[in-house]
Amino acid sequence: MPLIVLWDIDHTLIENSGVSKEIYARAYALLTGKWPEHAAATEGRTDRLIMRGLFNQHALTEPPWPQIEAALTQAGQERADALRARGNALPGVRTILKTASAQESWVSSVLTGNIQANARVKLAAFDLDGLVDLSVGAYGADAEQRPALVDVARTRVRHRYGLPTETPVVLVGDTPRDVEAAEVAGAHAIAVATGVHSQAELARVGAAVVLPDLSDTTALIGLLEGFVSRQKAH
């Protein structure tokens, strides 16, 4: 039985050490000619909503999305070295991504609020980009709201790999928005407390499975296999 596993990036797979907020600030500066007075509000939002919020905070009209995406792409490329120097892959991430990608009939990709170019920059900074299939992920340019990204990724995976419609989808992420996205879209959620939210907080918003981090590869693969088994039982 196949399985689709979708990983969040920031604070789930990597620690960006503030570089994300610098990318948004730089993109804003590229678009307006001046640096923002306020930091972008991120935490599980898509790039579309983050940049809209940044322009709203400064009482400015939001530019057309293609201009914003181009600025974000440039800003991400400019901050790649800073990310590599200051950030890191989180505990267990490299091993679990390798293990998941090796599972027969599983598709392992990403579901992230980042635009695709910056998702690749962030993963490539720590040599993780080759461990997931980025061609079938869902990104911040694909939709404004995170739940809609689940169907984007689901559709891309099914079209590319010809998977049946009942293939279970599992989201792995660190924020309540990840948990909500899974619930709204009919997917499963594994929450990981490697961001700003504690295990207790993530459990309170409805995550059935909450892990301290991704370091226990055997346990995590067992959890993922459990979603496959439950689907088979139905």
Side-chain angles (χ1 to χ4, degrees):
M1 181 76 191
L3 178 70
I4 300 168
V5 188
L6 303 172
W7 309 87
D8 175 48
I9 294 178
D10 292 296
H11 311 298
T12 298
L13 299 181
I14 72 160
E15 171 52 55
N16 67 61
S17 298
V19 172
S20 274
K21 289 186 183 292
E22 294 170 9
I23 290 172
Y24 298 120
R26 173 59 174 154
Y28 178 93
L30 287 168
L31 292 162
T32 66
K34 57 186 177 182
W35 290 92
E37 297 176 8
H38 310 285
T42 54
E43 204 231 332
R45 294 174 175 85
T46 64
D47 277 0
R48 284 181 179 268
L49 292 183
I50 290 168
M51 291 302 292
R52 178 173 299 159
L54 197 53
F55 277 91
N56 287 342
Q57 279 182 289
H58 294 82
L60 293 177
T61 301
E62 179 185 359
W65 172 250
Q67 293 178 26
I68 295 176
E69 185 169 13
L72 284 169
T73 300
Q74 180 178 334
Q77 291 169 346
E78 290 177 356
R79 301 306 295 161
D81 288 342
L83 178 62
R84 194 174 295 110
R86 288 160 40 197
N88 57 274
L90 287 167
V93 163
R94 193 175 310 279
T95 301
I96 188 58
L97 291 184
K98 285 182 178 178
T99 306
S101 68
Q103 302 300 305
E104 187 178 357
S105 77
W106 289 17
V107 177
S108 179
S109 188
V110 297
L111 188 146
T112 175
N114 292 284
I115 60 169
Q116 186 171 12
N118 288 348
R120 187 177 296 277
V121 164
K122 289 180 175 182
L123 294 176
F126 311 107
D127 298 319
L128 301 174
D129 52 318
L131 302 179
V132 286
D133 186 346
L134 294 175
S135 71
V136 293
Y139 304 94
D142 292 324
E144 291 188 355
Q145 301 295 337
R146 205 171 190 91
L149 295 180
V150 181
D151 279 334
V152 170
R154 184 187 273 134
T155 299
R156 285 175 176 162
V157 171
R158 287 174 178 166
H159 284 173
R160 182 178 179 103
Y161 292 98
L163 300 185
T165 57
E166 66 271 16
T167 301
V169 178
V170 183
L171 269 64
V172 185
D174 67 288
T175 73
R177 284 186 173 85
D178 295 300
V179 178
E180 175 194 24
E183 181 179 0
V184 171
H188 305 284
I190 294 177
V192 56
T194 42
V196 300
H197 298 281
S198 68
Q199 289 180 261
E201 287 176 303
L202 292 166
R204 281 197 295 272
V205 298
V209 178
V210 185
L211 304 175
D213 56 33
L214 298 177
S215 60
D216 191 337
T217 303
T218 301
L220 185 48
I221 290 296
L223 288 168
L224 293 170
E225 288 174 338
F227 294 121
V228 176
S229 298
R230 285 198 285 278
Q231 186 65 33
K232 284 181 178 179
H234 292 156

